[in-house]
Amino acid sequence: MEFVASSRVLSSNQPSWFSPITTYRTPRQLSISPHLPSNASFHNSATFSHRDYPICKATVKDSNTSLEQVKTMAGEHSPVFELSSLTALSPLDGRYWGKVKDLAPYMSEYGLIYFRVLVEVKWLLKLSQIPEVSEVPSFSEEAQSYLQGLIDGFSMSDALEVKNIERVTNHDVKAVEYFLKQKCQSHPEIAKVLEFFHFACTSEDINNLAHALMLKEGVNTVIFPVMDELIKAICNMAKDNAYISMLSRTHGQPASPSTLGKEMAIFAVRLSRERREISQIEIMGKFAGAVGNYNAHLVAYPDTNWPRIAEEFVKSLGLSFNPYVTQIESHDYMAKLFHAIIQFNNILIDFDRDLWGYISLGFFKQITKAGEIGSSTMPHKVNPIDFENSEGNLGKANASLSHLSMKLPISRWQRDLTDSTVLRNMGEGLGHSLLAYKSALQGISKLQVNEACLSEDLDRSWEVLAEPIQTVMRRYGVPEPYEKLKALTRGRAVTKESIREFIEGLEIPQEAKTNLSRLTPHTYVGAAVELARDVDMAINLVNGAKVLETDR
């Protein structure tokens, strides 16, 4: 699947929903992606220290550990723990870092600073294009290139410089403004207009656009490709197993047979439908000043059409424009986006639990790697840990995303600050979602269908043919067909022989008897084979376009 590419973000006037295109691009290929030096790392930066913070002191009783040892371990006589994979409070930044780090360029503090820099620079460039703002004349190509270089060449050291400025300003957006002024004060042309950085802006003008771009780029570049890979894997499961008959279970009891492939196709179509819903959500932005009225803009330049300029600017970033706002963009689109991801995740929880159950029934075997341990005490066990990990992380993701979607649209009067700290947690919900998708994919890759078990399960369940028999009896006017089959099957062992004997005793045409006698639990699958085989077509119809190319 292809999405609205980052290279369009800074030049396209198209709305900002996640719309399909055709090829994936890596973060390094995205023109608006954060640019890192080759040796940069988002993890365990040595510049952040906790030495100035107090430590917890412990009292140990009934232990061979001395108090002096405890003090040393706690850090009183040794450096306090630096951030590392072993000391991170969140497992996303520790144990699972390798699986979620692709989100870091977009959803981290670094990503937020980068996109703030981008918005500030682009706004100065926009001001230079407004005839009424004569104090900012059109920049030369060299000056424009210099400003664009601040975006394209933004590095980890630049982000750390912004953080150092913030220690003095105690204001994160103002630190970005000061950083840019420092970077440009040596450039003779740009130095003349330094005070037009952040012109007429409230911090939220910068922040809301930065957050929108973080979400757009993070979802387009990292989340969507893994979602599509997951849907593709389930599609392949559906087609590979289209002809494998399987006993269904409703309320946990034997029910009319299906095929393994058709049951997988259901999940592929459901997930694809939600994937499309997410892709159609418009990502909104505002740029209207302190309370949304362009107050300062109109005092400084009363004859300028600032609402039109703001709309042009927001759309130039590849976002949709929200003209009716307070100090903040109302975050309604975020709530819609997070709810849609929650629904995708809920469907995947359903998939994880079903696969867990099928493994428990023996329908699937799990391919193991040499040296892997299934259980610490029971050598025979191979636990379905990938689907369990996926389910657990989906629950964690949904809890975080649910809080974001419920909280963010609510703000006291023209704004309060509760959204600011909450927005810093967007990466948590997306990170646990990403981890869950990858766990499910890993689980799928280990599965091996156990056809013998599926067949044995069907052979033990001839009673499921009661449904087609009583339905044919209804067609030919046999009285009380349901009750007759109920007496035959409920609470009694039903065999191939007893079913055939019952059919022969029916007063229905011989052709109907012959057709019923040919039925077995293996063949009574209705249109399941066709539904599984045509899953690609179903997904294409759901999405309105050909979006997935599967291997088969």
Side-chain angles (χ1 to χ4, degrees), residues 9 11 88 112 132 190 197-198 208 244 267 280 293 311 313 318 328 337 410 432 438 442 459 479 527 539:
V9 169
S11 59
L112 176 57
E132 295 90 338
I190 304 171
F197 275 116
H198 204 70
N208 89 97
I244 305 297
F267 287 108
Q280 293 184 327
N293 302 327
E311 181 174 6
F313 179 61
I328 65 170
L337 172 63
I410 301 170
H432 282 288
K438 289 187 175 182
Q442 186 167 312
D459 287 338
I539 286 176

Side-chain angles (χ1 to χ4, degrees), residues 46-83:
T47 59
F48 294 97
S49 172
H50 306 286
R51 288 189 177 88
D52 295 331
Y53 291 82
I55 61 171
C56 297
K57 297 183 179 180
T59 301
V60 180
K61 296 181 179 180
D62 301 324
S63 170
N64 292 327
T65 305
S66 70
L67 182 58
E68 289 304 313
Q69 287 175 301
V70 172
K71 287 182 178 179
T72 299
M73 291 163 61
E76 189 162 310
H77 299 303
S78 64
V80 176
F81 282 176
E82 298 288 349
L83 178 62

Side-chain angles (χ1 to χ4, degrees), residues 237 351-352 354-370 372-375 378-390 439-451 453:
M237 288 180 71
F351 173 82
D352 288 335
D354 276 12
L355 267 290
W356 188 97
Y358 293 145
I359 292 169
S360 178
L361 290 171
F363 291 179
F364 290 103
K365 297 176 182 178
Q366 295 181 94
I367 303 169
T368 60
K369 294 180 181 179
E372 278 190 342
I373 303 297
S375 167
M378 291 173 280
H380 67 283
K381 291 186 68 180
V382 181
N383 297 327
I385 58 173
D386 296 305
F387 297 108
E388 292 171 339
N389 284 340
S390 179
S439 294
L441 278 165
Q442 186 167 312
I444 290 170
S445 71
K446 295 179 181 179
L447 294 178
Q448 187 177 62
V449 178
N450 187 352
E451 293 189 47
C453 181

